[in-house]
Amino acid sequence: MIQVIAFYLFATLTIAAGALTILARNPVHSVLWLIVAFFNAAGLMVLAGAEFIAMLLVIVYVGAVAVLFLFVVMMLDIDFAELRAGFVKNFPLGLLLAIVLVCELVLGIGAERAGGIQLGTPDGTAATAAGASNIEAIGALLYSKYLFLFEAAGIILLVAMIGAIVLTHRQRGGVRGQNISRQVARRPEDATVNMQPEVGKGVQL
Amino acid sequence: MTEFFQTIGMTYEWAWFVATICGILLIALPLMLAVAMIIYVDRKIWAAMALRRGPNVVGPFGLLQSFADGLKVFLQETIIPSAANKGLFLIAPIITFTVALLAWAVIPFNSGAILADINVGLLYVLAISSLGVYGTVIAGWASNSKYPFFSAMRASAQMISYEVSIGFILICVVLWAGSFNMGEIVEAQKSHVWIINGFVANPLLFPMWVMFLISGMAETQRAPFDLTEAESELVAGYQTEYSSMSFALYWLGEYANVLLMCALNATLFFGGYLPPLDIPVLYLVPGWLWLFAKIFFFFFVFSWVKATVPRYRYDQLMRLGWKVFLPVSLGFVVVVSGYLMYTGHFA
């Protein structure tokens, strides 16, 4: 009973938040609705028994990716008239993308109905190995059967990270930076001199 | 508690539901009281370090000071700036406050006394702490004012930076405990080194704890990392435009977060509800009392640091997070996992 209520609550909120993401006029509101959608999708995953994926969704998407989205969108100076003009121009492309997504969804549902993929057991319980928690099951698969794919994904991410750093890195001249270790290593003897100059005579520095 | 409600004649589902609601209230209400009292404690410690008396007028020893402040704030007018984004402006403090309470669900108060005994407990804590940034960022943006916006930018950069190293530190703990479940992490610390309960006695994990403590201060934006509300630069940071109850919610949320960080320090490195030493006599003291004592100790450390250490500059803060903590914690993940593999810990 409670599961059913929770499912319909999360599902409705996910869809509503998704719809509001594209309907909201203010881009910041859009990002915030997207976050609500992510959050409810995580709730759905908890219901499906995939709590590890749910937590990762919240940590990675809500906690990091969406924050950066928000960061960027908040600092943008958005011209709504220009945005509308872009809407008409990009409409065919968007339509094409929507059609592709719908086709994928239909194919996916069809494959699942045909029994092509075994995502879960038919009675709705999660398809983890008996006696193993979610994390252990995923870990055991990821580091044995899919080890090379996992490592390939890691290398791709590493390359992407290095690429982003190289693209945005710039050397600025004339900046007086701080060298912390030099500051820490500096002793009073290096920095100060005790002098007793005679009257009328200066000090050579 | 579920069994109790079942005996009254509820079905299992409803018994579980009512029991969970009761559990939430059992944690949230004392926590609110604790936050009010800990603000008083903070001010007293701070005053003592500055050779002042601190709050001493309202109630005996000034104990009711926080309640008086709360009442004052409650009776003030809620001002919403005309240029603010009204909805988000009001939601932001509620998010901060709610998120500060959420993570307490997985803190074990005694063996078995845990509201949500989930096997991804530590990941849940990470997930919730990564949500904390929204309250600040939304407040900064919705206020439609320059200083709050600067503060929000600082807050998000700061919290993302330190979450990375916190993640690596927690991985070391998880590797050693062999579980993400908070209860099991506490149990794994039982006589970890000789008769000491706690990962902190482990020479490989002690530096991780030091980094966790410092990162925790940065994550909760406590001094010396309180750059988001650096009054000499940003008025009051993201809460500049807030007044009345919405301001109070930030206040409560901030302290609830600090208490949570103290609880995490206690749970992950100091054996949580276990006594400090694995001696049978010490187990006569109830576990929650040990946990509260440890939380209080860490809160004292937080206040102590706040009272003595000057504020960091922003570039120093970023340097510490990215150039010191991140490489060191990443290195320790390798060292710890290598050591555990070498000694056959995973066998």
Side-chain angles (χ1 to χ4, degrees):
Chain A
M1 180 62 184
I2 290 171
Q3 286 96 321
V4 176
I5 294 174
F7 172 77
Y8 281 108
L9 183 72
F10 286 139
T12 321
L13 284 175
T14 310
I15 293 169
L20 282 166
T21 306
I22 38 179
L23 291 178
R25 282 165 173 265
N26 191 326
V28 173
H29 290 178
S30 276
V31 176
L32 291 173
W33 282 119
L34 184 70
I35 292 161
V36 175
F38 279 149
F39 209 72
N40 285 296
L44 284 176
M45 284 175 189
V46 169
L47 279 183
E51 71 268 8
F52 181 61
I53 305 285
M55 288 305 140
L56 281 197
L57 185 74
V58 175
I59 293 172
V60 175
Y61 284 92
V62 181
V65 175
V67 173
L68 294 181
F69 270 12
L70 206 59
F71 216 87
V72 173
V73 168
M74 276 180 179
M75 289 195 280
L76 285 180
D77 186 23
I78 288 155
D79 186 0
F80 284 100
E82 204 176 306
L83 222 71
R84 297 251 164 67
F87 178 76
V88 178
K89 199 181 74 187
N90 292 327
F91 186 70
L93 194 70
L95 200 65
L96 193 72
L97 207 64
I99 290 169
V100 168
L101 282 178
V102 167
C103 288
E104 276 183 358
L105 266 181
V106 169
L107 271 176
I109 293 170
E112 206 247 351
R113 280 285 157 80
I117 36 172
Q118 288 290 324
L119 285 177
T121 42
D123 59 346
T125 50
T128 47
S133 76
N134 235 291
I135 303 174
E136 285 169 28
I138 289 179
L141 266 183
L142 212 57
Y143 290 104
S144 58
K145 195 175 172 190
Y146 299 112
L147 179 64
F148 292 110
L149 287 174
F150 181 66
E151 286 185 342
I155 287 172
I156 289 169
L157 284 175
L158 184 68
V159 170
M161 190 180 83
I162 293 172
I165 292 170
V166 168
L167 284 177
T168 53
H169 186 71
R170 62 193 166 120
Q171 209 79 44
R172 271 191 303 177
V175 181
R176 284 160 64 92
Q178 240 182 333
N179 189 339
I180 303 274
S181 52
R182 239 186 81 199
Q183 285 185 336
V184 172
R186 199 167 155 95
R187 300 281 135 219
E189 301 86 68
D190 316 331
T192 54
V193 250
N194 215 345
M195 290 252 192
Q196 235 163 6
E198 284 172 43
V199 177
K201 297 233 172 116
V203 175
Q204 187 81 42
L205 280 174
Chain B
M1 214 188 301
T2 312
E3 289 82 35
F4 169 74
F5 284 109
Q6 269 178 301
T7 52
I8 319 178
M10 290 180 177
T11 61
Y12 175 77
E13 279 184 340
W14 286 108
W16 177 85
F17 187 71
V18 175
T20 309
I21 300 275
C22 289
I24 291 170
L25 290 179
L26 264 180
I27 293 177
L29 296 181
L31 182 65
M32 285 296 85
L33 196 65
V35 165
M37 291 323 291
I38 215 79
I39 291 173
Y40 163 78
V41 170
D42 195 27
R43 294 174 66 174
K44 271 290 188 193
I45 294 172
W46 211 9
M49 302 232 178
L51 298 180
R52 292 182 284 113
R53 284 177 193 278
N56 64 350
V57 175
V58 190
F61 308 107
L63 275 169
L64 299 176
Q65 180 67 46
S66 297
F67 300 100
D69 285 345
L71 195 67
K72 181 198 79 179
V73 165
F74 186 69
L75 293 173
Q76 279 173 341
E77 181 194 358
T78 308
I79 300 168
I80 301 175
S82 54
N85 195 315
K86 224 166 255 145
L88 290 179
F89 184 81
L90 290 176
I91 286 174
I94 299 175
I95 293 176
T96 304
F97 182 67
T98 316
V99 164
L101 294 184
L102 274 179
W104 285 88
V106 293
I107 301 289
F109 290 96
N110 208 337
S111 88
I114 174 168
L115 179 64
D117 197 9
I118 52 178
N119 55 17
V120 285
L122 203 50
L123 280 179
Y124 173 82
V125 170
L126 268 182
I128 296 301
S129 77
S130 67
L131 290 182
V133 67
Y134 283 110
T136 315
V137 173
I138 292 172
W141 184 80
S143 298
N144 202 356
S145 161
K146 285 187 184 59
Y147 289 126
F149 192 64
F150 280 139
S151 164
M153 291 292 119
R154 281 186 177 187
S156 45
Q158 177 175 341
M159 289 177 86
I160 290 177
S161 309
Y162 280 86
E163 249 157 44
V164 181
S165 55
I166 283 184
F168 283 126
I169 292 165
L170 295 187
I171 283 177
C172 290
V173 173
V174 167
L175 281 174
W176 219 294
S179 174
F180 274 101
N181 182 301
M182 298 291 269
E184 281 177 34
I185 290 175
V186 172
E187 288 300 329
Q189 298 178 44
K190 204 164 186 175
S191 44
H192 183 64
V193 175
W194 190 43
I195 56 164
I196 303 171
N197 292 331
F199 281 142
V200 71
N202 186 326
L204 275 179
L205 288 177
F206 178 75
M208 307 270 54
W209 166 66
V210 174
M211 280 162 52
F212 186 73
L213 186 71
I214 298 172
S215 302
M217 283 171 195
E219 182 78 8
T220 51
Q221 290 151 17
R222 280 282 284 197
F225 304 112
D226 56 344
L227 284 139
T228 51
E229 39 201 291
E231 64 278 350
S232 52
E233 306 157 26
L234 296 177
V235 191
Y238 54 89
Q239 27 183 306
T240 304
E241 305 290 345
Y242 282 89
S243 59
S244 179
M245 265 326 268
S246 45
F247 173 74
L249 282 181
Y250 271 117
W251 214 29
L252 295 175
E254 196 178 302
Y255 274 91
N257 265 330
V258 172
L259 278 182
L260 177 74
M261 250 328 146
C262 298
L264 283 179
N265 264 301
T267 310
L268 298 174
F269 290 96
F270 280 75
Y273 54 77
L274 298 171
L277 297 175
D278 196 21
I279 300 170
V281 180
L282 293 179
Y283 285 94
L284 293 177
V285 180
W288 55 269
L289 218 54
W290 283 120
L291 181 70
F292 288 176
K294 286 167 186 173
I295 291 176
F296 194 80
F297 169 73
F298 281 114
F299 189 79
F300 178 76
V301 173
F302 270 63
S303 291
W304 185 8
V305 170
K306 182 181 175 176
T308 44
V309 183
R311 184 179 292 135
Y312 260 54
R313 224 173 43 213
Y314 195 68
D315 61 312
Q316 292 172 330
L317 175 87
M318 284 293 134
R319 177 186 164 273
L320 186 70
W322 289 108
K323 290 189 179 170
V324 180
F325 282 0
L326 183 61
V328 172
S329 55
L330 190 57
F332 264 94
V333 170
V334 176
V335 171
V336 166
S337 50
Y339 174 80
L340 292 176
M341 281 302 274
Y342 179 71
T343 52
H345 185 82
F346 297 121

